[in-house]
Amino acid sequence: MTTAVPESRVSETVHRRRWAILGVLMLSLLIVVLDNSILNVAIKTISTPAPTGLGATQSELEWAINAYTLVFAGLLFTAGLLGDRLGRKKVLLGGLVVFGAGSALAAFSGSPVQLIAFRALMGLGAAFVMPATLAVLMNVFEREEQPKAIGIWAGGVGLAIAIGPITGGVLLDHFWWGSVFLINVPIVVLALGLMLWLVPDSRDPKPGRLDPVGVVLSVIGLVLLVYGIIKGGQLADFTDATVLATIGAGLAVLVAFVVFEKRSDHPSIDVTYFKNKVFSAAIGAIGLVFFALMGVTFFSVFYTQSVRGYSPLQTGLLMLPLAAAQLIFAPRARLVVDRFGNRATTTGGMLLIAAMLCAFAALEADTPIWLLEVIFFLMGTGMAHIMTPTSVVIMQALPREKAGSASALSNTFRQVGGALGIAVLGSVLSTAYRSGIESHLGTVPVGVRHTAGESIEATLGVAAKLGPRGDALVGPANDAFLHAMHVTALWGAGVALIGALVVALYLPGRPTEPQPGQEEKELVPASE
């Protein structure tokens, strides 16, 4: 019996240049993800008074970081929907232009307030770039090649996360603080030129009516929720009335969004997608793994720089094994899925991450640094075997013309999970550190005692101002931080174990071929 060959859904011209298109998409993705981490290296320089820096306060520095994250996470969903309706290429080009303009303005900010505003503008552009890259990918690769392409795409995300601190460290060694933003501009110009030449446009052939009420509710709800999470981390107190009120308001608005969408005859997103346990488990797994990953990245920077004494550039280099493992294994994870299935592959990845977080609880001030490198490499290996299978499950769960919505949902959960990880695990770290250092702050002036107990950096800063009297605080500060890091790592391991349980229960086993009648709808390209 002869099996009919399925008709190609991708034009021959696009099919021939699909890998070049993937390269352009990864270039666009690189700068967006990289900028999420590159600012951390420049914080100390930006806090220095002019002309070296901007003289930004701690609060202003936090807002410079959070302005990007809030706008980025809050608009991802809307950006994916607009890409489906208006055309992914158009949205991607517009997002890159806005991101590049925001980067140039941020580089030449004259005050911390200007920097915060321009970082928010960069977040606006980034929100339109990230979901569009994955949506375009789904429309230039045939279904059988999508897992491989998504694996390479996921590896690019891992590379960007790791090279952010390295790039920032190199630039700050040779140029002024604004160079960490200005470096984006020539990359954006190159990406725009290549995109205009190579990348085809695509959209939902039946976009229907816009859903302005749903869009506004989703944006407001997500921004309030993420703001409350970040604020809780800043205050190290999730029982604060402002934090509870903001998170509660965000959740209430999101509930209103779900109710409105269920009753709407033209919803932005069909919330019945989440009745599919496989889809929901894959989305949840992404949120949980980024919760653990962003949390460990947060406290590992303090461990390498404050306790071990490495520079920002050296710290970035120490994280290279994390990226290397993702680059090596993310494109090959599909082979593991083919053999063992989504459930076994993803559960194994989650358990590996949980084990490596437990290993962080064994690190001390004099632990051989190669052990940290092994931990990072194995964490990257675990990430690669989670992100690729779950991304494929999510993107193939919805029709191809809804790829922007699926990508936006995936990235929204990634950002919210990461923000929650930093906030919650940062709060655990701060609380555990304060309990360990408080008994050693008796020699510190009463007026600065509370500030000195906020973090290891705060303690060491006060110790330096006290001169010889402050030397006695260095040892206890390191010990208190190590204890706090151990506690925080075990919390992160617990979250990873929850993720392992979720995917073990609900993700499918070996992949199966689509049944007749279940194939995706034909792609209708938009006019250029």
Side-chain angles (χ1 to χ4, degrees):
M1 179 178 177
T2 304
T3 304
V5 178
E7 184 181 351
S8 173
R9 296 176 176 83
V10 179
S11 72
E12 180 60 30
T13 302
V14 172
H15 182 74
R16 284 199 305 267
R17 62 190 188 195
R18 65 196 185 284
W19 297 110
I21 292 170
L22 178 59
V24 178
L25 296 176
M26 289 181 66
L27 180 64
S28 306
L29 181 70
L30 181 71
I31 55 174
V32 170
V33 179
L34 181 148
D35 201 82
N36 234 346
S37 61
I38 198 170
L39 180 60
N40 293 329
V41 179
I43 283 177
K44 186 175 180 181
T45 306
I46 294 173
S47 65
T48 306
T52 303
L54 292 176
T57 65
Q58 183 65 32
S59 175
E60 288 168 337
L61 288 172
E62 290 170 351
W63 273 111
I65 296 171
N66 295 339
Y68 183 92
T69 304
L70 281 172
V71 176
F72 189 48
L75 291 177
L76 271 172
F77 184 64
T78 306
L81 294 173
L82 289 176
D84 284 344
R85 287 176 167 85
L86 303 178
R88 284 76 178 247
K89 180 177 179 177
K90 298 182 183 69
V91 167
L92 191 48
L93 289 169
L96 280 173
V97 169
V98 172
F99 184 85
S103 298
L105 291 168
F108 296 100
S109 298
S111 69
V113 173
Q114 288 183 7
L115 178 61
I116 292 167
F118 296 142
R119 284 281 295 169
L121 183 63
M122 291 170 68
L124 173 64
F128 283 84
V129 171
M130 194 164 192
T133 60
L134 194 51
V136 171
L137 180 155
M138 296 297 291
N139 282 277
V140 298
F141 284 90
E142 295 289 359
R143 187 180 182 91
E144 61 271 14
E145 281 191 324
Q146 287 172 3
K148 181 179 180 181
I150 290 175
I152 296 172
W153 180 90
V157 173
L159 173 66
I161 290 171
I163 68 173
I166 299 172
T167 305
V170 170
L171 289 170
L172 291 173
D173 276 351
H174 297 90
F175 305 102
W176 95 115
W177 66 266
S179 62
V180 300
F181 302 116
L182 196 61
I183 189 66
N184 294 333
V185 176
I187 303 175
V188 165
V189 172
L190 175 62
L192 286 170
L194 291 172
M195 199 166 295
L196 287 168
W197 176 35
L198 290 171
V199 177
D201 204 356
S202 62
R203 57 178 168 81
D204 188 335
K206 298 177 181 178
R209 289 181 292 162
L210 288 175
D211 176 28
V213 175
V215 168
V216 170
L217 286 175
S218 67
V219 171
I220 293 175
L222 283 170
V223 168
L224 284 172
L225 178 61
V226 174
Y227 174 83
I229 291 168
I230 293 173
K231 190 67 175 176
Q234 290 176 347
L235 299 176
D237 182 11
F238 277 86
T239 64
D240 180 84
T242 303
V243 173
L244 290 174
T246 308
I247 293 177
L251 291 173
V253 174
L254 289 175
V255 168
F257 166 72
V258 172
V259 172
F260 180 83
E261 296 298 282
K262 287 181 70 174
R263 295 178 177 178
S264 174
D265 59 356
H266 57 286
S268 298
I269 183 69
D270 188 347
V271 294
T272 58
Y273 291 150
F274 290 94
K275 291 182 179 180
N276 183 329
K277 293 180 180 179
V278 171
F279 181 82
S280 297
I283 284 278
I286 285 180
L288 289 171
V289 76
F290 268 81
F291 181 105
L293 178 71
M294 296 304 290
V296 73
T297 302
F298 180 75
F299 67 66
S300 66
V301 168
F302 288 102
Y303 172 70
T304 54
Q305 293 189 31
S306 300
V307 177
R308 303 301 295 261
Y310 290 100
S311 69
L313 176 56
Q314 290 170 326
T315 296
L317 292 171
L318 287 173
M319 295 186 70
L320 273 179
L322 183 69
Q326 292 189 59
L327 284 172
I328 293 169
F329 294 111
R332 295 169 174 80
R334 63 190 173 83
L335 302 176
V336 183
V337 172
D338 288 344
R339 180 163 184 175
F340 299 105
N342 284 297
R343 182 189 302 120
T345 303
T346 310
T347 302
M350 280 287 191
L351 291 175
L352 183 57
I353 286 182
M356 291 306 99
L357 284 166
C358 288
F360 260 100
L363 295 178
E364 301 292 345
D366 57 354
T367 300
I369 201 64
W370 65 265
L371 287 175
L372 179 65
E373 300 297 87
V374 171
I375 291 172
F376 276 143
F377 184 82
L378 291 176
M379 285 193 71
T381 303
M383 281 286 295
H385 290 90
I386 297 167
M387 294 306 299
T388 299
T390 54
S391 295
V392 172
V393 167
I394 291 166
M395 297 305 292
Q396 293 188 344
L398 301 186
R400 186 192 292 244
E401 62 269 19
K402 301 295 184 183
S405 299
S407 175
L409 279 168
S410 173
N411 282 293
T412 297
F413 271 73
R414 183 190 314 223
Q415 291 297 316
V416 172
L420 183 60
I422 292 174
V424 174
L425 296 183
S427 179
V428 172
L429 185 76
S430 178
T431 303
Y433 178 79
R434 184 179 290 280
S435 68
I437 196 65
E438 271 185 333
S439 61
H440 299 279
L441 298 178
T443 58
V444 176
V446 177
V448 295
R449 194 170 295 172
H450 181 80
T451 301
E454 288 181 352
S455 66
I456 185 172
E457 285 297 313
T459 304
L460 296 178
V462 170
K465 293 178 181 178
L466 292 176
R469 281 195 306 148
D471 293 342
L473 286 175
V474 176
N478 286 340
D479 292 340
F481 176 80
L482 287 169
H483 169 71
M485 183 181 77
H486 297 162
V487 172
T488 307
L490 292 175
W491 272 65
V495 171
L497 287 174
I498 293 173
L501 180 62
V502 169
V503 295
L505 289 175
Y506 298 113
L507 282 195
R510 293 176 183 272
T512 57
E513 294 297 322
Q515 298 299 312
Q518 291 183 332
E519 289 86 356
E520 298 170 283
K521 297 178 182 178
E522 294 290 330
L523 171 68
V524 179
S527 57
E528 296 281 348

